[in-house]
Amino acid sequence: LSLLFVPPAKGGGMEIFMNELCQIIKNMVIPNFINMETAIRTYDRNADCCGAPAWRFAYHALHSADKWFFNPFEYNEPAFHQDGLDNPDHICSVVLSDDQLLEYLMQIREKTCDYLDTLTDDMLYEKPDNCPYSRLELVLRQFRHLSFHTGMLNGQTAEHTGKFPIYVSEDSVFPEDGSLFGRYVTKKK
């Protein structure tokens, strides 16, 4: 049972809201970010992927998570962003390093976890300001989108290296030897 305590309003008592579903989402989204991190650490960033370098698809997925997880209609682009950089079909002069992509990923992960900590379960059914989608729809869209592009990058890595990057399903599970290749990592029972 997860509860969110809200400080009392002037003259009011402490309010308690449920955020159990939000915590489940948080516990499931962290592995998504770990899996994308692994994809970035193992891919050939310059490999052709549908006519664009693979790193553009990594940025596309991260940018989408940063924008669409919260409210795509009230969003400020990151300082390094150039118009069209998030669309791999557009030619851009900006080239982001893997270190920049990983730093951006960590910022999005922290922002996402902090955001989920502020929500109540009831808020998942609400639509953010000026947004036609509920928060739950936005979250589920990003689960699908981030997982799709992680799989796409991992498939490209497997094709080029003959090795499949590890995939974690829980944030508490990561190979102790630091290996980024394997198949699927689970908790030992």
Side-chain angles (χ1 to χ4, degrees):
L1 181 65
S2 298
L3 303 174
L4 178 66
F5 294 95
V6 178
K10 194 172 189 176
M14 180 79 66
E15 293 187 58
I16 301 172
F17 297 98
M18 297 291 295
N19 79 337
E20 185 174 9
L21 291 175
C22 294
Q23 293 308 304
I24 290 170
I25 292 168
K26 180 179 172 180
N27 291 336
M28 295 297 108
V29 78
I30 290 170
N32 271 348
F33 288 122
I34 292 170
N35 290 326
M36 178 55 88
E37 178 184 356
T38 301
I40 293 170
R41 291 186 184 281
T42 58
Y43 75 154
D44 175 355
R45 65 177 275 106
N46 294 313
D48 181 69
C49 193
C50 301
W55 75 265
R56 290 288 304 272
F57 284 93
Y59 178 70
H60 165 79
L62 294 175
H63 181 270
S64 181
D66 187 26
K67 183 175 183 175
W68 282 83
F69 202 101
F70 310 95
N71 184 350
F73 300 96
E74 293 189 7
Y75 174 74
N76 295 315
E77 297 288 357
F80 53 80
H81 183 80
Q82 181 184 70
D83 191 38
L85 183 61
D86 56 318
N87 183 342
D89 294 331
H90 286 109
I91 296 172
C92 290
S93 61
V94 173
V95 176
L96 299 177
S97 69
D98 287 345
D99 286 341
Q100 287 174 297
L101 292 171
L102 291 168
E103 182 179 332
Y104 186 40
L105 182 149
M106 294 307 167
Q107 291 168 4
I108 298 165
R109 176 180 165 165
E110 182 178 347
K111 176 181 169 181
T112 302
C113 290
D114 290 348
Y115 172 71
L116 290 167
D117 285 341
T118 68
L119 297 180
T120 65
D121 291 350
D122 288 342
M123 292 170 76
L124 292 172
Y125 303 102
E126 297 172 358
K127 296 176 181 178
D129 292 341
N130 304 314
C131 183
Y133 308 108
S134 71
R135 288 183 177 95
L136 183 59
E137 287 174 292
L138 293 169
V139 166
L140 293 175
R141 285 170 179 257
Q142 286 318 297
F143 265 79
R144 180 187 67 224
H145 192 251
L146 197 58
S147 294
F148 173 83
H149 285 296
T150 300
M152 184 179 98
L153 293 171
N154 284 345
Q156 180 241 32
T157 298
E159 172 85 14
H160 290 292
T161 66
K163 298 185 286 186
F164 195 84
I166 62 161
Y167 171 84
V168 298
S169 62
E170 299 179 51
D171 69 332
S172 62
V173 179
F174 206 76
E176 293 176 14
D177 64 0
S179 172
L180 295 176
F181 293 95
R183 273 275 190 210
Y184 186 77
V185 183
T186 59
K187 281 186 180 178
K188 293 180 181 173
K189 295 188 180 193

